[in-house]
Amino acid sequence: MNLGRPPAAAAAPVGRGALVAILCRMGAPSNLTPMFRQYRSLKQEQPESILLFRMGDFYEMFFEDAKIASRLLELTLTARGRGTDSVVPMCGFPHHQLDAYTGRLVRANRKVAICDQVEDPKKAKGLVRREIVRVVTPGTVNDPSQLDAKSNLWITSVVSTAGRLGASFLDASTGEFLAWETAPDAARPWAELAERLKSFAPREVVFSEELDWDPSFRDAHLAGVVLTSTDPYAFSTATASATLQKHLAVASLDGFGLRDRPAAVAAGAGLLLYVQETQRCAMEHIDRLLFHEPARFLLLDPATRRNLELERSLRDAGPEGSLFHAIDATVTAAGGRRLRRWLLAPLLDPEEIARRHEAVAQFLNRPDLREPAREQLKGIHDIERLLSRAVAGTAGARDLLGLKNSLDRLPGLLRTASAVEAALVRETVDGLDPCEDVARRIGEGIVDEPPANQRDGGFIRDGFDAALDELRTIRRDGRSYIASLEAKEREATGIASLKVRFNKVFGYFIEVTKANLHLVPDQYRRKQTIANGERYITPELKECEAKI
């Protein structure tokens, strides 16, 4: 099931006719080389995405993708197959620049399918096997360099079912997940949806191909937003509850406030399936889906936000001079995001407001607690986004070390916060797991100063993994390793002249002279006869050769 069907244009899905035309321009299968047949097959999985095709140390783009990307990325457009009947437009960049170039394409409202070699080229029989390992969309970016640390990046889904409109809102980089729906008797459901979209300002909106949009709604409220149509099955009310229950490991969604809210559940399930499909992982860090109740908050339309300069200055539309910039004294990215959300959606319930005031007042009046807490928070990295990268398989050694250093500070922070009596703080602290075992495990495995590039290796501690230690020993001193193996075989067979040798044709082998052939063990397999003896291999020697 292919859930993600990204658009070729920034704000409108591409019709099937256009997709067929694009694929036809790629040539008939009989005219393509095996490599281009593989490329064509993978492109059909994500026809509306820019396909980054890994070839050795480069990511290459071909056909229409190359023409589009060369313009957006300012790359030289070349061609493959010059001098033949099949000249193919082509451009590319070195593999280590993947994040930078992917970010530029996404900022241009393009979707990017990353296709990697999933087989060792040295072991491949024929064409190297490749797969699409991840699809990066404007709403699913998790690269820290492409994100505003103190703002959420929302992706939204929209569904119409059971006489209601539903929507869900997910920040895939943090795991925050909300669902909403209109009342069955709502007089202006599309207007209510428009207000929610204005409030969350998503970069991407996902919807069923069968969704019957209100006339002019997309032009009026989704200008500049990437729209993605998906298989209607993803939003099926018949399977939505089961999809979410399985992912969240619960028997019922009632505890999340989703009972008798079919449109909200369908929107949540459809969006979850889409994100799982594009990220090619289960997204385990998304562990709850809460019902969004706009009635709890003061409604602030975009004009009000702009005129009150809540997050942008009227002077230059920058953050400096805004209310958020003036009062933001948070020391963590997650704290900054929380403060921004509170400013943009003020509470209406006096009791909830009083609970926040009580918590703030106690820290304000207790500098003996406030200052230690701030110092402990200063060393905490963006745990939410580090976790999302770890789940997606894009976290590096430095990311994991940042997670470990952050977790190391949690026990002290919890002890400090435990002295605060405010109910809101108590509810947050009580029963919170500081994950000391996770921090300890990462500390045992990752060196204190890992290299920036994982391909350089050397980020796993010696002693953490016996098999890795053995391979490192072989790499550092392969000759000694072979010498020890030779000594071991001499002792086991009693052949003092036995030698372990190597050549480019046969690899490693054991050489025995004719005078000692009667001492050769049964497990030796003859490889070659030479003038003064025989050459053999053993399973252990072949394993040794593979390690070397």
Side-chain angles (χ1 to χ4, degrees):
M1 179 175 62
N2 182 19
L3 298 178
R5 296 180 183 170
V14 173
R16 293 185 181 276
L19 296 181
V20 171
I22 290 172
L23 293 175
C24 287
R25 284 196 295 271
M26 295 173 63
S30 59
N31 297 331
L32 297 176
T33 64
M35 187 276 288
F36 276 123
R37 283 199 292 271
Q38 183 187 57
Y39 173 90
R40 186 178 187 275
S41 174
L42 291 164
K43 179 66 179 176
Q44 286 177 318
E45 292 183 26
Q46 290 289 329
E48 299 168 8
S49 298
I50 301 290
L51 181 63
L52 304 184
F53 193 76
R54 182 70 179 267
M55 297 182 67
D57 289 335
F58 285 80
Y59 282 101
E60 304 288 1
M61 290 154 282
F62 301 101
F63 302 101
E64 293 300 310
D65 284 359
K67 296 178 181 179
I68 295 169
S70 66
R71 184 181 71 255
L72 295 176
L73 301 177
E74 299 177 336
L75 297 173
T76 300
L77 183 65
T78 61
R80 188 179 179 93
R82 291 185 187 277
T84 70
D85 294 335
S86 302
V87 179
V88 176
M90 167 183 170
C91 68
F93 55 83
H95 70 92
H96 61 268
Q97 295 180 330
L98 174 64
D99 289 342
Y101 280 114
T102 298
R104 290 177 63 180
L105 289 171
V106 170
R107 285 196 297 274
N109 276 355
R110 297 286 173 175
K111 299 187 178 184
V112 182
I114 300 171
C115 172
D116 270 335
Q117 297 174 172
V118 294
E119 182 181 22
D120 186 346
K122 296 179 181 178
K123 297 180 179 179
K125 295 181 179 179
L127 199 62
V128 177
R129 188 161 57 90
R130 294 177 174 88
E131 292 178 3
I132 294 176
V133 297
R134 186 162 51 102
V135 180
V136 183
T137 76
T140 59
V141 177
N142 70 0
D143 179 7
S145 65
Q146 310 297 330
L147 295 168
D148 181 346
K150 294 193 175 183
S151 294
N152 287 97
L153 176 66
W154 297 106
I155 180 173
T156 295
S157 65
V158 176
V159 66
S160 177
T161 187
R164 316 175 194 190
L165 281 180
S168 63
F169 309 90
L170 170 66
D171 184 339
S173 70
T174 66
E176 296 165 86
F177 199 13
L178 304 169
W180 165 88
E181 69 175 37
T182 59
D185 56 353
R188 301 172 63 241
W190 288 99
E192 291 184 32
L193 175 61
E195 292 296 342
R196 293 304 89 219
L197 294 176
K198 290 175 183 176
S199 177
F200 284 89
R203 287 279 306 277
E204 182 178 359
V205 173
V206 182
F207 58 93
S208 164
E209 291 176 328
E210 297 179 349
L211 178 63
D212 186 14
W213 289 95
D214 182 69
S216 77
F217 181 88
R218 289 193 289 186
D219 291 338
H221 302 291
L222 294 174
V225 177
V226 172
L227 303 182
T228 302
S229 61
T230 72
D231 192 322
Y233 175 81
F235 294 97
S236 169
T237 54
T239 59
S241 290
T243 296
L244 292 174
Q245 287 172 17
K246 180 180 179 181
H247 177 81
L248 300 172
V250 295
S252 168
L253 299 176
D254 294 357
F256 298 112
L258 294 171
R259 184 176 185 179
D260 297 327
R261 286 175 168 139
V265 171
L271 185 56
L272 177 65
L273 288 173
Y274 171 75
V275 173
Q276 287 177 332
E277 173 70 12
T278 58
Q279 302 307 293
R280 299 296 202 268
C281 69
M283 304 298 285
E284 292 98 331
H285 67 298
I286 302 173
D287 59 2
R288 67 192 66 190
L289 171 60
L290 302 179
F291 186 69
H292 174 60
E293 300 179 79
R296 294 181 56 222
F297 308 100
L298 179 64
L299 181 62
L300 299 174
D301 59 56
T304 301
R305 291 184 182 185
R306 183 173 59 254
N307 292 327
L308 291 177
E309 298 183 297
L310 295 183
E311 56 179 340
R312 300 287 176 186
S313 167
L314 282 174
R315 184 179 65 254
D316 59 3
E320 292 190 14
S322 68
L323 176 61
F324 177 73
H325 182 266
I327 69 171
D328 179 23
T330 59
V331 293
T332 67
R337 291 193 293 269
R338 177 61 60 89
L339 177 61
R340 183 187 292 272
R341 287 200 301 275
W342 283 4
L343 279 179
L344 299 181
L347 287 171
L348 292 176
D349 185 344
E351 292 186 5
E352 288 296 311
I353 295 172
R355 280 159 53 85
R356 285 186 185 175
H357 285 177
E358 178 192 22
V360 172
Q362 288 200 14
F363 276 109
L364 186 64
N365 297 328
R366 293 285 305 274
D368 59 314
L369 296 178
R370 183 180 69 250
E371 293 309 317
R374 287 180 61 81
E375 287 301 314
Q376 289 154 345
L377 284 167
K378 285 179 182 177
I380 293 181
H381 299 253
D382 197 340
I383 293 179
E384 290 178 325
R385 286 179 170 168
L386 287 175
L387 182 60
S388 76
R389 287 174 59 77
V391 166
T394 58
R398 292 188 178 184
D399 291 326
L400 295 179
L401 194 62
L403 182 60
K404 180 259 183 189
N405 293 337
S406 301
L407 294 176
D408 282 342
R409 287 180 168 267
L410 282 188
L413 179 61
L414 293 181
R415 285 192 296 271
T416 301
S418 296
V420 179
E421 298 177 357
L424 189 59
V425 178
R426 300 298 314 175
E427 291 171 7
T428 303
V429 171
D430 290 347
L432 191 66
D433 181 4
C435 299
E436 293 176 275
D437 56 331
V438 176
R440 182 171 56 254
R441 182 66 171 168
I442 295 174
E444 291 170 350
I446 305 294
V447 298
D448 293 334
E449 296 183 5
N453 190 343
Q454 283 190 225
R455 291 177 65 89
D456 294 338
F459 52 86
I460 300 296
R461 289 186 186 276
D462 287 335
F464 182 74
D465 183 272
L468 177 61
D469 289 343
E470 181 185 14
L471 293 175
R472 283 177 171 171
T473 299
I474 294 172
R475 183 182 64 182
R476 283 193 296 263
D477 196 357
R479 289 185 178 180
S480 295
Y481 186 79
I482 291 297
S484 66
L485 180 63
E486 185 179 81
K488 176 183 173 183
E489 291 299 320
R490 285 179 177 179
E491 182 178 356
T493 61
I495 304 174
S497 61
L498 179 149
K499 295 186 182 299
V500 176
R501 298 185 182 276
F502 173 85
N503 66 37
K504 293 182 179 180
V505 177
F506 296 110
Y508 284 92
F509 53 84
I510 296 171
E511 191 170 284
V512 180
T513 59
K514 287 184 178 180
N516 294 297
L517 292 182
H518 64 287
L519 297 175
V520 171
D522 292 338
Q523 69 267 25
Y524 278 30
R525 287 184 292 156
R526 191 170 64 83
K527 187 72 175 178
Q528 183 187 26
T529 299
I530 57 177
N532 62 339
E534 301 281 355
R535 289 174 175 174
Y536 300 89
I537 59 171
T538 67
E540 183 182 4
L541 186 58
K542 295 305 293 182
E543 182 181 348
C544 168
E545 181 178 84
K547 290 177 180 178
I548 293 174

